[in-house]
């Protein structure tokens, strides 16, 4: 809160806060003041709060897992970002971004079949999962091209079963 004074505080996965932590957060938001652990007196802060979650806070309120008063404090402007599986064209663009971000000194690219496997995967972990996957591929790929075999089995899916034996024999895609 202090570091964000005069700016924006981003609270990620706010739905995972315990009810005790929710009460403390609510108090800080209501008073726009915080008290340091072991400190004396409150310190006023001037902040804008952006909160993110991957679950419905309204549903959590109904189930008694999220405080309604905190929910209404945080519900100023709601922005729903579609999941990665709902915006498949973004997968390759994000993959390229993460390749550039994590590449180190190498210029890496995705093979056509690896790119197709990324497009077909459902991405239950969303963009975070894609970034970790690209980080893993950058770390483990020995060539300049990320191939199907460089992807985890769950992402390879049907491609691994259908094309894996051919690729291991060095057959061409045409073959």
């Amino acid at each position: 809160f202090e570091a964000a004074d005069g700016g924006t505080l981003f609270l990620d996965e706010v739905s995972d806060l315990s009810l005790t932590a929710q009460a403390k957060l609510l108090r800080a938001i209501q008073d726009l003041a915080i008290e340091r652990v072991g400190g004396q007196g409150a310190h006023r802060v001037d902040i804008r709060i952006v909160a993110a979650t991957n679950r419905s806070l309204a549903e959590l309120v109904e189930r008694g897992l999220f405080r309604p008063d905190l929910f209404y404090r945080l519900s100023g402007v709601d922005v729903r970002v579609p999941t990665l599986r709902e915006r498949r064209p973004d997968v390759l663009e994000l993959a390229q971004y993460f390749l550039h971000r994590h590449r180190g000194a190498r210029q890496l690219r995705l093979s056509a079949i690896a790119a197709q496997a990324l497009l077909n995967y459902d991405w239950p972990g969303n963009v975070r999962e894609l970034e970790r996957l690209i980080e893993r591929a950058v770390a483990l790929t020995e060539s300049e091209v990320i191939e199907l075999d460089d992807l985890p089995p769950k992402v390879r899916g049907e491609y691994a079963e259908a094309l894996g034996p051919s690729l291991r024999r060095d057959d061409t895609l045409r073959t």
Side-chain angles (χ1 to χ4, degrees), residues 87-103:
R87 50 192 172 106
R88 293 204 189 262
D90 292 348
V91 170
L92 294 182
E93 189 171 336
L94 285 165
Q96 291 302 323
Y97 169 76
F98 293 134
L99 272 173
H100 180 73
R101 184 174 177 188
H102 298 293
R103 69 184 172 164

Side-chain angles (χ1 to χ4, degrees), residues 141-159:
T141 301
E142 295 178 6
S143 71
E144 302 300 311
V145 179
I146 296 172
E147 298 289 351
L148 186 64
D149 281 343
D150 297 318
L151 302 177
K154 67 181 178 180
V155 176
R156 284 182 259 165
E158 64 198 48
Y159 288 101

Side-chain angles (χ1 to χ4, degrees), residues 16-115:
D16 293 341
L17 289 172
S18 68
L19 290 172
T20 303
Q22 290 176 34
K24 291 178 182 181
L25 177 59
L26 177 63
R27 189 171 26 252
I29 292 172
Q30 283 176 325
D31 301 339
L32 286 177
I34 57 163
E35 189 171 327
R36 288 182 177 165
V37 175
Q40 295 181 2
H43 172 74
R44 299 219 22 98
V45 289
D46 175 23
I47 58 171
R48 172 182 37 235
I49 295 177
V50 175
T53 181
N54 64 356
R55 298 189 290 170
S56 167
L57 291 181
E59 187 179 300
L60 293 175
V61 167
E62 286 177 18
R63 293 175 35 209
L65 300 173
F66 200 84
R67 292 178 59 111
D69 44 2
L70 179 58
F71 170 73
Y72 292 115
R73 286 280 183 188
L74 295 175
S75 296
V77 176
D78 293 341
V79 178
R80 182 187 177 280
V81 178
T83 64
L84 206 46
R85 81 181 130 274
E86 294 174 80
R87 50 192 172 106
R88 293 204 189 262
D90 292 348
V91 170
L92 294 182
E93 189 171 336
L94 285 165
Q96 291 302 323
Y97 169 76
F98 293 134
L99 272 173
H100 180 73
R101 184 174 177 188
H102 298 293
R103 69 184 172 164
R106 302 186 306 167
Q107 292 284 355
L108 293 172
R109 63 183 175 81
L110 292 166
S111 70
I113 195 150

Side-chain angles (χ1 to χ4, degrees), residues 116-137:
Q116 192 61 50
L118 294 182
L119 286 171
N120 289 342
Y121 184 61
D122 274 339
W123 300 108
N126 230 327
V127 176
R128 288 182 183 127
E129 182 181 11
L130 175 60
E131 183 174 14
R132 295 290 86 77
L133 180 140
I134 295 297
E135 268 186 317
R136 173 191 184 277

